Amino acid sequence: MSTILLCIETATPVCSVCISEEQTILAKVESVEPNNHAKILAVLIQKALLLAQKKIADLTSICVSEGPGSYTGLRIGFATAKGICYAANLPLILVPTLQAMAIGMKPNAKDGFVLCPVLDARRNDVYFSFFNTNAEEITPHNCKSVDEVNGLLLQMQSKAIVAGTGTNKFEMFLDSVIISNENVIDAQNIVSIGLEKFKNNQFADLAYSEPVYRK
């Protein structure tokens, strides 16, 4: 029996939804209008199901981006995902936002560079983590100033490709980083992690699971 996932990404101003069957993306829809997640998420889910020619009853599990990220966006994503899981008796899978972003960065990975997905944490700070070219985490996610992130790269004697929100803060460190403008905040980047977790029965507790917030 095929694994059919509904994947939800609401950790940033981008609101993205996709339906997948195993590794195949059946449908993907998104909205880039900020502060609109509460109004648009249910509509996007309905549209994605229609495009994929699937119903809630066809789904195997719900995957949601768990953060770090926007407090409001994450709460909306979690509430919607949990609501569907309760109503349809489906398991919930939590996918770390930065890891999903690293999956999206893999096609542009370069030998000798670490992948560094970043999320704007206001002021001069970013939420970040370092990954190898296979999108395997090297360091746990953290929140630091861009100066501290650059300092860590110098200590590691490494360079990084950075992508996500807040990349403009790294423009003074172009000796250490390559800035990618590719959109890596995308529900389809959740799929491979969600599939692996599903096959390993790594499900979240519907009652007690909470998002990972910005700070």
Side-chain angles (χ1 to χ4, degrees):
M1 182 177 178
S2 295
T3 303
I4 301 174
L5 303 178
L6 164 61
C7 299
I8 299 170
E9 171 59 82
T10 59
T12 73
V14 175
C15 186
S16 178
V17 172
C18 85
I19 308 291
S20 65
E21 185 166 3
E22 298 300 332
Q23 293 284 359
T24 302
I25 306 299
L26 301 180
K28 188 191 78 171
V29 291
E30 67 178 18
S31 170
V32 296
E33 185 178 346
N35 305 317
N36 201 35
H37 292 16
K39 294 181 180 179
I40 199 67
L41 181 54
V43 175
L44 293 182
I45 291 172
Q46 290 175 346
K47 185 175 181 180
L49 288 168
L50 182 63
L51 290 172
Q53 298 183 335
K54 299 293 181 183
K55 300 176 181 178
I56 293 292
D58 298 321
L59 300 177
T60 312
S61 182
I62 311 297
C63 302
V64 64
S65 180
E66 71 170 335
S70 159
Y71 178 90
T72 302
L74 289 170
R75 294 298 294 184
I76 293 166
F78 263 64
T80 303
K82 285 185 174 185
I84 297 172
C85 287
Y86 274 119
N89 194 28
L90 292 171
L92 176 67
I93 295 173
L94 306 184
V95 174
T97 303
L98 293 171
Q99 186 182 8
M101 292 169 64
I103 293 290
M105 296 173 70
K106 278 179 65 176
N108 292 323
K110 297 179 181 293
D111 290 339
F113 283 76
V114 296
L115 303 178
C116 182
V118 297
L119 293 171
D120 186 4
R122 301 181 183 176
R123 301 185 183 87
N124 203 39
D125 295 346
V126 290
Y127 242 111
F128 76 101
S129 186
F130 294 135
F131 296 81
N132 63 23
T133 54
N134 290 320
E136 297 165 336
E137 193 173 56
I138 300 171
T139 61
H141 74 262
N142 207 331
C143 184
K144 292 184 180 292
S145 71
V146 291
D147 304 84
E148 291 175 301
V149 176
N150 188 62
L152 289 173
L153 287 171
L154 294 176
Q155 290 177 24
M156 295 166 59
Q157 298 183 324
S158 185
K159 295 186 178 183
I161 299 172
V162 297
T165 61
T167 53
N168 60 304
K169 297 177 181 180
F170 287 85
E171 289 176 352
M172 66 184 76
F173 300 118
L174 295 181
D175 288 340
S176 302
V177 306
I178 294 174
I179 296 175
S180 171
N181 293 318
E182 183 182 9
N183 177 28
V184 295
I185 305 166
D186 193 320
Q188 71 179 15
N189 294 331
I190 292 175
V191 172
S192 60
I193 305 169
L195 272 174
E196 182 177 359
K197 286 196 167 191
F198 180 83
K199 290 173 181 177
N200 290 322
N201 294 316
Q202 293 176 285
F203 304 127
D205 188 309
L206 276 179
Y208 297 106
S209 57
E210 291 286 339
V212 175
Y213 295 118
R214 179 170 281 154
K215 289 187 179 179

